[in-house]
Amino acid sequence: MMDLSDLPPGTIAQVSSYLPSPSRALLAVALNHHDSSSAIVGNHQWDVLDFGEIEKDLAAKISDDHIRGVLCSIDAVNNLKRLRLTNCINITGV
């Protein structure tokens, strides 16, 4: 059986280009494969990451670990100017 991470990085990057920024970053974390994750996040402008762009039910399930993974995958220290945690009610900061 083929796994999503078995697809060529270019294909995954093309598909992810149709996703809102938070979904794109979460996909990169979920794939947990360096080439695929780099292809997904590499050419995207990460000035603002607003979780209000995804469904409220999904945002409500996001944990601190998810946010940590997203911030690491997009190299937030060097790329992100504004983080909006709209509807992320499970974030504790711990």
Side-chain angles (χ1 to χ4, degrees):
M1 179 185 272
M2 185 176 210
D3 189 59
L4 185 60
S5 62
D6 293 333
L7 292 172
T11 302
I12 294 173
Q14 278 293 92
V15 170
S16 70
S17 69
Y18 293 96
L19 297 173
S21 296
S23 296
R24 183 181 299 192
L26 288 168
L27 176 62
V29 171
L31 288 176
N32 197 23
H33 184 268
H34 178 67
D35 292 337
S36 297
S37 296
S38 296
I40 292 169
V41 300
N43 295 327
H44 186 71
Q45 296 289 14
W46 295 102
D47 293 338
V48 177
L49 184 59
D50 183 1
F51 283 89
E53 295 178 13
I54 61 174
E55 296 163 6
K56 188 175 182 178
D57 292 341
L58 176 60
K61 295 176 184 176
I62 293 174
S63 69
D64 291 83
D65 288 337
H66 295 120
I67 296 297
R68 180 188 54 77
V70 165
L71 296 177
C72 289
S73 72
I74 65 171
D75 189 20
V77 171
N78 296 311
N79 295 317
L80 191 64
K81 293 179 182 173
R82 193 173 311 143
L83 174 65
R84 294 183 179 148
L85 298 172
T86 308
N87 299 320
C88 295
I89 58 175
N90 283 327
I91 305 300
T92 62
V94 177

